[in-house]
Amino acid sequence: MVFFYQFMLGLFASIFVAAAAFVFQWLTISGALAAILCGTLVIGFGPWYSIFLIGFFFASSGIIGLLKKMRRQPELAVLAKGARRDAKQVFANIAPSIFALLLAFWTKEPLFLWGFVAGIASCTADTWGSEIGVLSPSPPRHLLTGKKLPPGLSGGVSWLGTAASLAGSLAITGLFAAALWLNGKPFSLDLWLTLTALGFCGSLLDSLLGAAIQVRYQCPVCHQYTEKKVHHDVATKQVSGLSFVTNEGVNLLTSIVIVFVSVLLTGSFFK
């Protein structure tokens, strides 16, 4: 019965939060429905503090998005989708982490909970790095070639974005450490550093995969690189990457790798 009430609490709380995110234009309708499902699972099956990690990820992403609306957004000209997250983007970012959380519930093994934390830290690091990095006064550089890229294009890195990525990972792992401390549970410095490093590395891996295998097009009109198949109402030409690897695919692959590596590392050294 307690589990039923916890599950229903997760459902109603998720509906409220997703509705607010939709009103503030942080999520599309499909994104809001995906967030309801994810939030319900997190509250229903995770420890009490797990929803705060997910909530912080979405809230911080939304707040940064609102701040960006106060300025021009040239990066939207190269992105395949707008600033609002849809269901594919939501699931690509946090589905592997939620799967790890479900495994933690079923197996009672803490290493899966740590995988969940590392996955959310990676998503937050990548989002902060991408969203704040476009504000860099200097253009981002291609991670592999060093060439200048349009702001917001996958595979580019900047010092501001890199610093923001580290801050995002630190924020999530810091919240997790604080929650464990409030719960009276031990949390080693080595584990905290490991999870923080994994979150930060997730952002770098996302940029690496974005530079190496994500599909990229070029507009025949303005010759700008873009993730869109149509630019200036003209079909763009694929110039690099694999045609079936989109930004969502890169996000999903990165999340899977970080969660998996986290489970392996923490299971080997912190059990």
Side-chain angles (χ1 to χ4, degrees), residues 252-264:
L252 178 61
L253 181 57
T254 298
S255 295
I256 291 173
V257 169
I258 293 301
V259 170
F260 181 72
V261 171
S262 173
V263 170
L264 286 182

Side-chain angles (χ1 to χ4, degrees), residues 11-23:
L11 175 61
F12 288 117
S14 298
I15 290 175
F16 175 79
V17 173
F22 176 75
V23 170

Side-chain angles (χ1 to χ4, degrees), residues 180-227:
L180 289 185
W181 178 76
L182 289 173
N183 231 28
K185 294 184 178 180
F187 187 74
S188 70
L189 177 62
D190 290 343
L191 178 58
W192 177 72
L193 290 174
T194 299
L195 295 179
T196 301
L198 284 168
F200 177 64
C201 287
S203 176
L204 296 179
L205 176 61
D206 189 274
S207 295
L208 177 62
L209 294 176
I213 64 174
Q214 183 176 330
V215 64
R216 181 170 298 156
Y217 305 95
Q218 188 174 30
C219 176
V221 177
C222 66
H223 305 292
Q224 185 178 51
Y225 292 113
T226 178
E227 296 176 5

Side-chain angles (χ1 to χ4, degrees), residues 58-264:
F58 280 114
S60 62
S61 301
I63 291 172
I64 293 173
L66 286 177
L67 294 176
K68 285 175 60 181
K69 282 187 176 182
M70 299 178 183
R71 57 177 289 277
R72 295 180 64 185
Q73 295 176 279
E75 68 274 9
L76 293 183
V78 303
L79 297 178
K81 297 184 178 181
R84 302 174 72 180
R85 292 178 181 268
D86 60 18
K88 285 185 178 180
Q89 292 169 307
V90 171
F91 287 134
N93 276 281
I94 64 176
S97 299
I98 292 179
F99 182 69
L101 189 67
L102 295 177
L103 289 177
F105 174 81
W106 286 321
T107 65
K108 309 304 179 185
E109 287 285 349
L111 57 91
F112 292 114
L113 178 60
W114 298 332
F116 165 77
V117 175
I120 299 302
S122 173
C123 294
T124 306
D126 177 57
T127 300
W128 284 28
S130 300
E131 298 289 338
I132 297 177
V134 298
L135 303 176
S136 174
S138 57
R141 298 278 181 171
H142 193 281
L143 187 60
L144 297 178
T145 66
K147 294 182 179 180
K148 293 181 180 180
L149 291 177
L153 194 65
S154 296
V157 293
S158 66
W159 286 111
L160 180 61
T162 302
S165 294
L166 179 58
S169 184
L170 283 168
I172 292 296
T173 57
L175 283 174
F176 180 58
L180 289 185
W181 178 76
L182 289 173
N183 231 28
K185 294 184 178 180
F187 187 74
S188 70
L189 177 62
D190 290 343
L191 178 58
W192 177 72
L193 290 174
T194 299
L195 295 179
T196 301
L198 284 168
F200 177 64
C201 287
S203 176
L204 296 179
L205 176 61
D206 189 274
S207 295
L208 177 62
L209 294 176
I213 64 174
Q214 183 176 330
V215 64
R216 181 170 298 156
Y217 305 95
Q218 188 174 30
C219 176
V221 177
C222 66
H223 305 292
Q224 185 178 51
Y225 292 113
T226 178
E227 296 176 5
K228 295 182 176 182
K229 292 183 178 181
V230 177
H231 200 244
H232 289 110
D233 297 322
V234 177
T236 54
K237 179 182 179 181
Q238 182 179 343
V239 292
S240 64
L242 303 175
S243 60
F244 58 88
V245 180
T246 62
N247 183 253
E248 288 85 0
V250 167
N251 291 157
L252 178 61
L253 181 57
T254 298
S255 295
I256 291 173
V257 169
I258 293 301
V259 170
F260 181 72
V261 171
S262 173
V263 170
L264 286 182

